[in-house]
Amino acid sequence: MTLRLFNTLTGQLDELVPADGKALRMYACGPTVYDFGHIGNFRTFLEVDVLRRTLKLLGIPVRHVMNITDVDDRIIRNAAAAGISIGDYTAPYVQAFFEDLESLRIERPEQIARATEHIPRMVELVEKLAVAGAAYQAEDGSWYFRLAAFPEYGKLSKKDLSGMEDGARVDVDEYEKDSARDFALWKAAKPGETSWETAIGRGRPGWHIECSAMAMEYLGESFDLHAGGEDLMFPHHENEIAQSESVTHKPLARHWMHVRFLLVDGRKMSKSEGNFYTLRDLLLKGYKASAIRLALISVPYRHQLNFTFDGLIEATNAIERLRIFHQRLTQGSFAAGENPALQEAARKAQAEYMAALENDLNTAEARAPIFDLIRAANTAIDRGELLAGDRDAILTVLASFDAVFDVIEDRDAEPTRRAVEWAEQAGRMAEVAPELLARQGLTDEAIDALVAERTTAKKQRNFARADQLRNELAEKGITIEDSKDGARWKRK
Ligand SMILES: [Zn+2]
């Protein structure tokens, strides 16, 4: 059994197998840690998670490397505005990113590589590019990749680059223009900016060189698969190929996987449209992490997913069905034996499930036979026709479903608890859904009661108790203001 996965480079479904016959070596572009991850980011990380879990289910070990971009234009800009170092600026976002991965049950890659810890490797690569005639230094000391030195430029994105201006340059990390330019490999230090003193001058790496240097550091000059969101195909991945292959003359990755963007309520997600959601936003609204995971992975990665709250509710209900059924099987008692019809149903569901995943990770088609099986098994249990051997066969099917989907075991309390705790610290308790507040004892009524108790304690001159209550409320993000008309409280 092998996975056939769409390869952007060849434009067709290709079999994905480890070139060394052992482990599948893959690199996936990670986050730029200047803010909290939004659900579009997490869709990409989730689809890569579906890929790695499917490979493991097929018995293929995975060596997965992901970078963390912890230095770029935005990080430098935001850290300078906050008057702190880039390390202090990015630290909470790095921590939040790992918490969010955990909430969504996204497996950690075998290797996490932070850009700021690999500067010497990037410098070496720029030096090699200079020797190969593919890099040059500009008047200000910055280094650029010479596009004219790589005639294959554009082979991944298949863009028509005929209007390309020879020698025109671009040095910003973010740009969306469909135009090719010599791009920055190394940016000379500007006053007040974070920089490193190196053999190619004082400065900092461009974004693209980070991924080339770190991918080759951990996976070798040529590896099996490179993945990322579709927005990274051009210019980021095109530039990674140019930088790496100009030095190695080997394909950087044989296989390229790109995850399609999502829409929210049928529109592009944007802060100005008011349809922009981080994972934390959704958790605070009371949606479960497992439902967010299932909603984001149930549409195959190459299809545009239209994310809606109805979709989240559908996912919530589907998980409920799975969990109740699983409980029914594990806690029920069944007579010994096997029912041939159910044995056949389990075998068929397993085969269809695997076939759908092997066909370009078709998660939508993979789900269907599992729910058909649940329906058939529930009917059989109601009629007393499900036997112990059937239970075992069906539990095996559910286990392989959960090896990829990972939603059956209820681990939803922890992500929600963590999100509410974060909201308390971040002063965002006003965004927390009432039912979550109720679970944490933080409804308006509960707070009114504590404030009233404090007022009584003060009247009775029991100041120790009054202070204790004030502190307890402060821990929950509630501040009290005493006035002539009594105590008033507000959420931070
Ligand atoms: Zn990258």
Side-chain angles (χ1 to χ4, degrees):
M1 293 198 291
T2 43
L3 170 62
R4 295 172 73 245
L5 190 73
F6 186 81
N7 184 351
T8 310
L9 194 60
T10 62
Q12 62 183 27
L13 293 180
D14 286 337
E15 282 196 357
L16 183 62
V17 285
D20 67 3
K22 292 181 227 147
L24 196 110
R25 286 170 299 145
M26 57 185 267
Y27 185 88
C29 293
T32 302
V33 281
Y34 70 101
D35 205 345
F36 297 104
H38 59 66
I39 54 172
N41 302 135
F42 285 114
R43 183 189 189 202
T44 300
F45 298 125
L46 279 163
E47 297 290 6
V48 173
D49 188 58
V50 167
L51 168 70
R52 57 171 285 142
R53 285 167 175 265
T54 301
L55 287 166
K56 292 200 299 185
L57 190 59
L58 290 168
I60 301 172
V62 173
R63 170 136 176 83
H64 173 187
V65 179
M66 182 180 73
N67 66 298
I68 293 203
T69 298
D70 55 359
V71 54
D72 91 327
D73 292 348
R74 285 166 296 195
I75 290 170
I76 290 175
R77 205 159 55 217
N78 294 359
I84 54 179
S85 71
I86 60 167
D88 286 344
Y89 179 77
T90 57
Y93 295 118
V94 173
Q95 193 199 334
F97 176 69
F98 286 117
E99 283 175 6
D100 290 351
L101 288 189
E102 206 179 296
S103 294
L104 288 171
R105 310 277 314 148
I106 297 173
E107 291 183 345
R108 275 225 197 188
E110 281 65 34
Q111 180 74 50
I112 306 278
R114 292 179 69 141
T116 53
E117 291 168 4
H118 294 78
I119 303 292
R121 309 301 294 179
M122 298 167 202
V123 169
E124 273 168 40
L125 188 53
V126 175
E127 287 176 317
K128 285 182 188 166
L129 283 166
V131 170
Y136 63 90
Q137 196 168 22
E139 311 75 48
D140 71 342
S142 295
W143 287 84
Y144 286 85
F145 184 85
R146 188 191 310 281
L147 232 48
F150 192 69
E152 292 172 75
Y153 193 79
K155 68 179 175 181
L156 179 71
S157 57
K158 322 267 186 306
K159 280 190 186 298
D160 176 12
L161 302 170
S162 50
M164 191 168 115
E165 274 175 79
D166 199 24
R169 289 180 211 145
V170 61
D171 68 352
V172 290
D173 291 329
E174 330 150 50
Y175 75 101
E176 289 168 10
K177 286 187 291 279
D178 269 6
S179 61
R181 300 270 190 276
D182 287 3
F183 56 89
L185 297 165
W186 184 260
K187 302 182 190 194
K190 293 197 187 106
E193 278 191 0
T194 304
S195 59
W196 286 263
E197 187 62 54
T198 74
I200 55 169
R202 187 162 190 88
R204 62 182 170 99
W207 170 37
H208 314 297
I209 198 83
E210 295 175 9
C211 284
S212 286
M214 296 192 288
M216 292 196 285
E217 162 83 3
Y218 293 105
L219 297 170
E221 291 181 343
S222 194
F223 47 91
D224 296 310
L225 175 124
H226 195 310
E230 65 171 340
D231 57 320
L232 300 185
M233 190 195 303
F234 183 87
H236 182 55
H237 290 162
E238 205 76 74
N239 292 354
E240 278 190 49
I241 289 175
Q243 293 163 154
S244 311
E245 299 185 9
S246 292
V247 169
T248 66
H249 307 289
K250 292 175 194 162
L252 176 64
R254 293 181 298 115
H255 206 118
W256 288 78
M257 172 193 185
H258 288 101
V259 179
R260 193 104 192 258
F261 259 21
L262 55 71
L263 297 177
V264 176
D265 291 327
R267 290 168 303 146
K268 192 169 184 264
M269 183 169 71
S270 78
K271 285 185 177 160
S272 58
E273 288 269 353
N275 65 349
F276 182 95
Y277 300 111
T278 65
L279 171 65
R280 285 148 195 253
D281 293 336
L282 297 179
L283 290 172
L284 294 185
K285 284 179 187 294
Y287 294 100
K288 291 177 176 176
S290 59
I292 300 167
R293 176 179 172 94
L294 187 63
L296 289 175
I297 64 176
S298 287
V299 171
Y301 77 98
R302 278 208 294 145
H303 292 247
Q304 194 150 48
L305 161 71
N306 184 24
F307 181 88
T308 62
F309 287 101
D310 283 347
L312 266 187
I313 291 164
E314 187 276 331
T316 307
N317 295 338
I319 291 170
E320 210 45 38
R321 274 206 300 285
L322 281 162
R323 288 179 181 171
I324 290 170
F325 175 67
H326 188 259
Q327 211 170 29
R328 214 175 169 195
L329 284 187
T330 50
Q331 294 177 2
S333 56
F334 303 95
E338 289 180 355
N339 176 337
L342 286 174
Q343 291 291 320
E344 172 56 19
R347 196 205 51 76
K348 185 165 163 280
Q350 175 73 17
E352 288 176 4
Y353 168 72
M354 291 307 299
L357 286 179
E358 285 166 26
N359 179 22
D360 205 18
L361 302 174
N362 194 327
T363 45
E365 279 184 17
R367 255 181 73 159
I370 303 299
F371 284 89
D372 289 346
L373 178 64
I374 292 175
R375 223 167 290 126
N378 270 326
T379 308
I381 296 174
D382 294 342
R383 292 182 186 154
E385 292 168 1
L386 191 137
L387 304 174
D390 308 324
R391 174 199 57 204
D392 297 345
I394 294 168
L395 282 175
T396 304
V397 177
L398 290 184
S400 57
F401 171 79
D402 229 31
V404 175
F405 284 76
D406 202 2
V407 293
I408 294 181
E409 193 180 324
D410 187 350
R411 300 185 185 90
D412 286 320
E414 179 61 15
T416 299
R417 188 201 59 74
R418 203 160 45 209
V420 173
E421 196 180 286
W422 168 77
E424 283 173 15
Q425 287 159 5
R428 293 178 56 172
M429 289 303 280
E431 294 166 44
V432 181
E435 64 270 26
L436 294 188
L437 290 177
R439 232 178 284 163
Q440 320 268 333
L442 280 170
T443 53
D444 286 3
E445 296 71 32
I447 295 164
D448 283 341
L450 289 174
V451 172
E453 194 186 335
R454 174 176 167 271
T455 306
T456 311
K458 277 176 73 180
K459 275 187 194 144
Q460 296 167 344
R461 307 195 66 77
N462 183 353
F463 297 113
R465 176 65 184 149
D467 284 349
Q468 189 189 10
L469 286 162
R470 173 187 278 272
N471 292 341
E472 205 174 292
L473 285 161
E475 272 169 31
K476 292 175 174 177
I478 310 295
T479 50
I480 304 178
E481 280 167 31
D482 291 309
S483 71
K484 288 198 301 288
D485 313 321
R488 278 192 310 234
W489 61 265
K490 61 171 195 250
R491 300 186 198 280
K492 253 192 275 186

